[in-house]
Amino acid sequence: MSDVRNLLIRGSEKVIQHYRLLLASAKTESERQLYRSRIEREQRLLETLQDGVPQRSAA
């Protein structure tokens, strides 16, 4: 795995953890929905990175 991909994976894991902390302290249902959707999006990205899909340049 490339160094860049490893960096992106670690970053995604940190982002997910951050959103989980925010989710735990969310005061409204709309906040909870927002954090859940962001966690799901970041998890999809993380799975893509971990599956070794060829990297594409972010345009």
Side-chain angles (χ1 to χ4, degrees), residues 11-26 31-32 34-43:
S12 286
E13 290 168 343
K14 287 182 179 184
V15 168
I16 290 169
Q17 184 59 33
H18 179 72
Y19 281 131
R20 286 182 178 153
L21 292 172
L22 291 172
L23 178 60
S25 64
E31 279 183 296
R32 286 187 284 275
L34 174 67
Y35 298 139
R36 283 185 199 117
S37 71
R38 290 184 179 179
I39 289 168
E40 289 171 6
R41 180 183 65 196
E42 199 66 34
Q43 284 177 325

